[in-house]
Amino acid sequence: MAAKKTYTFGRAERLKSRKAIEYLFREGKRFTITPFRVHYCLMAGKGLLTGTGASTRNFKKAVDRNRIKRLTKEAWRLQKNPLKEKLDQANRGLHLFLIYTGKELPDYKQVFESVKIIADKLYKLVEA
């Protein structure tokens, strides 16, 4: 019987440590998939930790920033499983931070498509 896939994004999967985030931005690599800038760092050991953000410069209202982060987390929650399985097989870990850099409030479809491209690119990076 195959293992049941879990589509959760719990507390243990969130990148919250100040030291880990500082290390990620200082030592990690990055790429851009419009409208996101992606910072990532492959680590030894297992685990996939993810953080999200939106700029105060582009979105003055916290309501808008929170909505963007909520949409991003939801899209990531539904698409992270293949990457997580690949990381577990390779016995590697990944710290990831997604920053929304667009100027306008996105709709869910746009965020979902962008996050799909990001997940596919990260999957290929883990394979290599």
Side-chain angles (χ1 to χ4, degrees), residues 20-95:
I21 292 171
E22 286 175 359
Y23 180 81
L24 174 64
F25 282 98
R26 190 177 62 245
E27 302 293 329
K29 297 176 182 171
R30 68 180 178 199
F31 61 88
T32 302
I33 301 288
T34 307
F36 288 98
R37 186 171 59 235
V38 180
H39 292 263
Y40 70 97
C41 187
L42 288 168
M43 313 290 255
K46 291 186 178 183
L48 174 60
L49 300 179
T50 308
T52 58
S55 172
T56 308
R57 181 183 298 165
N58 296 336
F59 300 97
K60 303 295 185 207
K61 296 180 181 176
V63 173
D64 294 337
R65 292 192 303 275
N66 291 341
R67 176 158 177 79
I68 292 167
K69 291 187 281 186
R70 240 185 353 262
L71 292 174
T72 305
K73 287 175 194 172
E74 177 65 11
W76 179 252
R77 178 184 74 85
L78 294 173
Q79 299 182 55
K80 69 180 170 71
N81 278 334
L83 177 62
K84 191 172 185 179
E85 290 170 2
K86 186 67 175 176
L87 286 166
D88 288 345
Q89 288 174 358
N91 200 24
R92 311 234 11 223
L94 179 70
H95 288 184

